[in-house]
Amino acid sequence: MTLSVGDTAPDFTLNDSDRQPFTLSEHRGSPVLVVFYPFAFSGICTGELCQLRDELGTYTDAGVRVVAVSCDPAPALKAWKTEQGFDFPLLSDFWPHGEVAKAYGAFFETAGMANRGTFLVDAEGKVAFAEVNGPGDARAQSGWKDAVAALAS
């Protein structure tokens, strides 16, 4: 079941592309945008995350930390991050496979990958925005931006 606005965001610790741990609860006091995506190096995912990279200031200027999560292993994420110049953490939900995506209701069980789930977690750890699209459905990021603007006001 997908999380809804007002739900407490499940805490998690995942390693980033440099195998450094990122724990959601350690960022309480600041909002965090958690962006799940199916696979590194795939077309739609590259387009979405490059747009996020190019518009990162929209989020960081509002005090929002951005992290992107897939079920890819850390070495693949490191190569993709380097290739694309992403300036936000890419987190690996590789093992136990997809457990964080499952906790957020953003796991596509049949294919063993994350769906396109986006969750804005507010400073208190509550979900302020939630959206889950299927793997082939690119997201419009305007909803995320509107939710960030609402938190900032």
Side-chain angles (χ1 to χ4, degrees):
M1 186 161 87
T2 301
L3 295 177
S4 298
V5 171
D7 290 347
T8 298
D11 195 20
F12 62 83
T13 299
L14 292 173
N15 286 335
D16 67 14
S17 55
D18 292 318
R19 295 192 172 113
Q20 297 303 304
F22 176 95
T23 301
L24 181 63
S25 60
E26 289 178 0
H27 297 275
R28 288 268 162 86
S30 298
V32 178
L33 183 68
V34 181
V35 180
F36 291 92
Y37 61 96
F39 295 114
F41 297 101
S42 61
I44 296 172
C45 297
T46 299
E48 287 183 335
L49 268 64
C50 284
Q51 180 181 351
L52 190 56
R53 174 200 64 206
D54 296 345
E55 299 173 356
L56 191 60
T58 301
Y59 306 98
T60 58
D61 290 351
V64 176
R65 176 80 190 248
V66 174
V67 297
V69 182
S70 77
C71 296
D72 293 300
L77 297 178
K78 185 173 182 100
W80 195 42
K81 183 176 183 174
T82 299
E83 176 186 280
Q84 296 299 329
F86 296 135
D87 204 16
F88 48 87
L90 300 182
L91 306 179
S92 175
D93 193 13
F94 185 69
W95 198 258
H97 193 72
E99 286 302 308
V100 175
K102 289 174 189 172
Y104 279 73
F107 191 70
F108 186 31
E109 192 75 41
T110 1
M113 64 186 188
N115 277 313
R116 297 181 191 288
T118 311
F119 301 89
L120 179 60
V121 180
D122 70 16
E124 288 77 42
K126 299 285 187 189
V127 176
F129 175 85
E131 169 186 63
V132 177
N133 292 5
D137 300 328
R139 294 170 273 204
Q141 296 183 15
S142 57
W144 317 352
K145 292 175 189 166
D146 291 346
V148 166
L151 270 187
S153 61

